[in-house]
């Protein structure tokens, strides 16, 4: 059974198509991350599922029930917004207990449940404060606490960490992951941050301009991107995309990059390859190394630029006039103009058509 199912969902504002035929299934207990650039339609999709917005066409099912025309309050969902949406004049305890209070639950029961949720989120010492007396991270916990008071079919999160500083964001990310593991909750989580998606998701749904680009595990999306957009959107520093021509040598298929021939080994084509086709060879910076392990191909190139981040060295080279970035070890002896023998690990390369930019 799917916890949530979205069928041929469309949303337009006037003439603008915001969501174009979205099909999506979420398993119970899964952590589905809706990832994509700003303005691609993530919040709109979440708001449609929550019932805060009406669909132009298509259906929404929560726990097998068709909720397309249902009020938000009848959809059995809990939503956490980027802006937290806490009541400023209420204490933390009152904010968390608000839903139960308006449902006229007994006071003792509310207190007990608020206590449990506060324990889980480690905010028991903050229950008497008002939101103004809390840090950003603490406010976020309260907003999550309010959602956890219920036991909904699905939790919807809209960029809940984007207002926090980098360090806190990293910590809250870990907390959310633990929370999901402990509660076995079904979560649909919206973010534009590919690191959040890679670390939290059991399934990533990549959206661009209102269309789904790929649905897959973080590993699938990272290593087998279906098109150039996906390849570039996940991974930092960005994947190298080298322009070349597909050739068939005696030893097998290869890509000719301005005279440098890179053998494709046992690359699994998703389409029948054609000689002479213009392609983009995608190789991630961490798959270019100066050690010969896993090497499928090596070439000597000179450093054109580099930066040291403390934990690694990002070096740029020029391969037949095309920039090539490599993620090298932190403490290497490096200088502009210095030559390195670069080994390409060809296990996780991707090939795309240079014309339609789809994986081949
Ligand atoms: N109420 C609205 N009226 C008109 N256009 C809207 C409305 N809400 C969102 N949009 C447009 O829909 C697109 C997607 O918005 P949104 O779902 O908020 O994107 P995201 O959350 O991915 O950043 C944007 O181009 C936005 O301007
Ligand atoms: Mg948004």
């Amino acid at each position: 059974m799917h916890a949530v199912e979205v069928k041929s969902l469309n949303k337009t504002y006037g003439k603008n198509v915001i969501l174009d035929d979205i099909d999506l299934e979420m398993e119970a207990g899964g952590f589905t991350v809706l990832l994509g650039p700003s303005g691609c339609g993530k919040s709109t999709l979440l708001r449609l599922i929550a019932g805060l917005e009406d669909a132009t066409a298509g259906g929404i099912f929560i726990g097998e029930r068709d909720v397309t025309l249902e009020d938000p309050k009848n959809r059995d969902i809990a939503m956490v917004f980027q802006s937290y949406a806490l009541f400023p004049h209420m204490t933390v305890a009152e904010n968390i207990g608000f839903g139960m209070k308006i449902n006229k639950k007994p006071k003792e029961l509310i207190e007990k449940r608020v206590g449990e949720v506060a324990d889980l989120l480690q905010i028991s010492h903050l229950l008497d404060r008002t939101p103004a007396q809390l840090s950003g991270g603490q406010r976020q916990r309260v907003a999550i606490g309010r959602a956890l008071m219920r036991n909904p079919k699905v939790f919807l999160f809209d960029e809940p960490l984007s207002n926090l500083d980098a360090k806190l964001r990293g910590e809250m990310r870990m907390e959310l992951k633990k929370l999901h593991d402990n509660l076995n909750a079904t979560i649909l989580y919206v973010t534009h941050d590919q690191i959040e998606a890679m670390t939290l998701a059991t399934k990533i749904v990549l959206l661009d301009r209102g269309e789904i680009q790929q649905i897959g595990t973080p590993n699938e999306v990272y290593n087998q991107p279906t098109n150039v957009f996906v390849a570039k959107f996940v991974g930092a520093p960005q994947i190298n995309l080298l322009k070349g021509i597909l050739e068939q040598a005696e030893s097998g298929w290869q890509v000719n990059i301005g005279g440098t021939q890179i053998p494709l080994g046992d690359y699994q084509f998703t389409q029948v390859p054609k000689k002479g086709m213009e392609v983009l060879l995608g190789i991630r910076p961490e798959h270019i190394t100066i050690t010969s392990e896993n090497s499928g191909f090596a070439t000597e190139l000179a450093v054109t630029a580099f930066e040291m981040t403390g934990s690694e060295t990002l070096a740029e080279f020029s391969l037949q006039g095309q920039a090539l970035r490599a993620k090298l070890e932190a403490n290497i002896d490096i200088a502009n103009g210095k030559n390195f023998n670069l080994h390409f690990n060809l296990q996780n390369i991707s090939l795309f058509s240079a014309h339609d930019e789809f994986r081949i």
Side-chain angles (χ1 to χ4, degrees):
M1 185 186 104
H2 299 299
V4 179
E5 198 171 349
V6 163
K7 290 184 186 164
S8 310
L9 200 65
N10 284 273
K11 178 70 181 172
T12 55
Y13 285 117
K15 278 186 190 154
N16 295 330
V17 178
I18 308 297
L19 293 172
D20 189 6
D21 239 357
I22 303 290
D23 284 300
L24 186 61
E25 289 164 358
M26 286 173 56
E27 300 82 36
F31 199 129
T32 305
V33 175
L34 200 54
L35 174 68
S38 179
C40 73
K42 304 180 296 294
S43 294
T44 303
L45 180 50
L46 211 65
R47 292 171 64 79
L48 286 174
I49 293 171
L52 301 173
E53 212 86 59
D54 290 333
T56 307
I60 298 163
F61 300 79
I62 296 178
E64 307 278 274
R65 206 159 61 89
D66 185 345
V67 298
T68 316
L69 301 173
E70 283 283 4
D71 271 2
K73 63 176 172 28
N74 298 329
R75 293 195 180 198
D76 205 5
I77 49 127
M79 188 150 170
V80 178
F81 298 92
Q82 178 180 2
S83 60
Y84 316 141
L86 300 178
F87 297 113
H89 57 284
M90 290 185 193
T91 64
V92 167
E94 286 163 350
N95 264 286
I96 297 177
F98 182 73
M100 277 180 88
K101 190 170 175 206
I102 56 168
N103 283 326
K104 305 220 162 51
K105 299 285 186 219
K107 197 160 165 259
E108 305 75 52
L109 196 65
I110 300 177
E111 269 170 24
K112 180 166 172 285
R113 186 78 192 117
V114 168
E116 286 168 4
V117 166
D119 273 349
L120 187 68
L121 293 167
Q122 296 165 18
I123 49 172
S124 306
H125 58 299
L126 304 174
L127 286 174
D128 294 329
R129 297 200 197 169
T130 58
Q133 298 167 313
L134 302 177
S135 70
Q138 290 168 337
R139 279 179 213 163
Q140 190 50 263
R141 280 168 205 260
V142 177
I144 293 170
R146 198 170 49 185
L148 293 183
M149 287 293 282
R150 312 216 338 261
N151 190 16
K153 285 264 177 357
V154 55
F155 290 96
L156 305 176
F157 288 91
D158 194 352
E159 312 233 15
L161 307 186
S162 64
N163 284 337
L164 308 179
D165 64 46
K167 183 167 168 286
L168 199 53
R169 207 154 60 221
E171 286 169 13
M172 281 301 286
R173 203 165 66 209
M174 294 284 266
E175 296 285 323
L176 274 175
K177 193 162 174 69
K178 278 192 241 161
L179 203 62
H180 173 252
D181 293 346
N182 291 340
L183 297 176
N184 207 16
T186 307
I187 294 178
L188 177 58
Y189 185 102
V190 161
T191 183
H192 66 275
D193 180 343
Q194 54 104 14
I195 305 274
E196 270 176 33
M198 290 296 293
T199 51
L200 288 172
T202 54
K203 182 158 91 178
I204 293 177
V205 179
L206 230 146
L207 202 66
D208 185 36
R209 291 184 234 173
E211 284 183 60
I212 291 180
Q213 303 295 312
Q214 184 164 1
I215 298 180
T217 62
N219 183 40
E220 283 163 352
V221 167
Y222 192 77
N223 290 313
Q224 282 144 7
T226 52
N227 60 34
V228 168
F229 173 83
V230 175
K232 284 161 84 168
F233 198 81
V234 293
Q238 200 169 290
I239 193 169
N240 293 292
L241 290 163
L242 299 164
K243 275 198 201 98
I245 304 289
L246 199 57
E247 292 178 346
Q248 200 170 21
E250 267 174 35
S251 53
W253 291 96
Q254 60 186 30
V255 176
N256 186 333
I257 295 163
T260 299
Q261 287 146 343
I262 300 184
L264 295 179
D266 53 6
Y267 180 78
Q268 300 291 311
F269 284 96
T270 57
Q271 291 176 26
V272 182
K274 288 194 194 79
K275 276 187 266 185
M277 187 175 182
E278 288 179 39
V279 295
L280 297 167
L281 186 149
I283 182 163
R284 297 206 178 268
E286 69 270 26
H287 294 140
I288 296 170
T289 60
I290 52 176
T291 58
S292 53
E293 260 171 77
N294 289 326
S295 178
F297 168 79
T299 184
E300 191 162 304
L301 297 175
V303 175
T304 55
F306 66 93
E307 58 185 13
M308 293 176 146
T309 68
S311 60
E312 68 212 9
T313 302
L314 302 175
E316 192 174 285
F317 302 85
S318 171
L319 178 66
Q320 306 286 3
Q322 298 189 51
L324 179 74
R325 276 173 295 273
K327 206 185 223 178
L328 306 177
E329 289 84 80
N331 297 312
I332 53 165
D333 185 12
I334 191 167
N336 285 339
K338 185 172 173 173
N339 277 5
F340 284 94
N341 195 31
L342 298 178
H343 294 268
F344 289 47
N345 174 358
L346 300 174
Q347 235 103 70
N348 284 313
I349 56 166
S350 292
L351 278 186
F352 304 99
S353 154
H355 294 286
D356 63 18
E357 301 200 336
F358 280 113
R359 187 183 190 85
I360 60 166

